[in-house]
Amino acid sequence: MKKFFCLLFTLLFAVGTALATGQDIDAAMNEYCDNIQTSIRNNLYYRGHESAEVLVSFEVNPDGTITNINIDKSGGEAFDKAVTDAIQKVS
């Protein structure tokens, strides 16, 4: 389950982009969130032996920085740290 909290500015930017290009607004937001998720996955380094799942929420600021990272459902201390580190690298 994806859970992202984006600031109003980001939403307005996506809406403006969607309107300017004729794209569907939902499709533009989904693409934006997918790009963030892909960037996080590309920066994720976890050397644990077990598989893990974590539910994380955060805010994306207008300048692209990420703040207010919260672990909503833990996947274990090591995996939570790996995910948090990956999110911070994207910022």
Side-chain angles (χ1 to χ4, degrees), residues 10 32 34 36 47 50 53 55 65 68 74 78 81 83 91:
T10 304
Y32 178 77
D34 286 344
I36 290 174
R47 303 216 189 279
E50 314 85 33
E53 183 176 311
L55 179 61
T65 59
N68 298 328
S74 178
K81 179 166 177 19
V83 170
S91 178

Side-chain angles (χ1 to χ4, degrees), residues 27-60:
M29 283 304 296
N30 286 338
E31 181 180 353
Y32 178 77
C33 290
D34 286 344
N35 287 339
I36 290 174
Q37 204 172 33
T38 298
S39 295
I40 292 168
R41 271 194 215 109
N42 290 340
N43 284 286
L44 181 62
Y45 299 102
Y46 175 63
R47 303 216 189 279
H49 298 288
E50 314 85 33
S51 63
E53 183 176 311
V54 64
L55 179 61
V56 62
S57 61
F58 52 86
E59 293 178 7
V60 179

Side-chain angles (χ1 to χ4, degrees), residues 64-81:
T65 59
I66 296 175
T67 57
N68 298 328
I69 301 170
N70 295 305
I71 302 296
D72 299 321
K73 179 184 172 198
S74 178
E77 188 176 333
F79 190 63
D80 292 354
K81 179 166 177 19

